[in-house]
Amino acid sequence: MRDFVDGTAFNNEQGNRARKLFAAVVLAALDDAIADDKKYGNGPEQIARWARSRDGREVLSCAGIDPNERVVNGLMEFVGRGVRTSVALSREESERRNAAQQAEAA
């Protein structure tokens, strides 16, 4: 029984690592689309084309993201904002966003 539990825990950990790897690929695709948007002005269309492609849907699924049209619209909106993923995921950006929302609500 102990071997089964150890094996299950190992497999779960491997799955989590794989999911994180695919999530990093999604973040890289977003950064590429943002760069395209700044250079050519077609970033949202590029990320939508990628997310709707067979490879894009597979990468999104492996990252634990359901590749539906709502997700595609969210990715397009994110790229349209033009904020790089490293900045958007930083603590300073989230604090700034929360402060802006609180100021808006007041």
Side-chain angles (χ1 to χ4, degrees):
M1 179 69 178
R2 182 173 166 85
D3 291 337
F4 173 75
V5 172
D6 288 343
T8 302
F10 178 77
N11 289 339
N12 184 42
E13 185 63 31
Q14 289 294 93
N16 288 339
R17 286 187 190 134
R19 202 169 6 271
K20 286 179 185 179
L21 177 66
F22 281 104
V25 172
V26 172
L27 293 176
L30 285 168
D31 278 343
D32 289 347
I34 290 168
D36 281 352
D37 193 39
K38 289 181 180 178
K39 192 170 185 179
Y40 304 113
N42 65 348
E45 293 83 17
Q46 289 286 63
I47 197 68
R49 188 176 305 121
W50 175 79
R52 290 178 181 133
S53 71
R54 182 184 313 198
D55 290 340
R57 287 192 316 262
E58 188 169 346
V59 168
L60 287 170
S61 293
C62 290
I65 302 168
D66 185 25
N68 57 35
E69 197 58 32
R70 182 174 176 219
V71 168
V72 173
N73 290 335
L75 293 173
M76 290 174 65
E77 183 181 319
F78 184 84
V79 170
R81 284 191 214 126
V83 179
R84 309 266 314 173
T85 57
S86 58
V87 174
L89 295 173
S90 70
R91 181 179 303 215
E92 294 84 19
E93 177 67 16
S94 64
E95 288 172 354
R96 185 195 62 77
R97 200 174 313 127
N98 287 337
Q101 287 175 351
Q102 288 175 356
E104 225 175 67

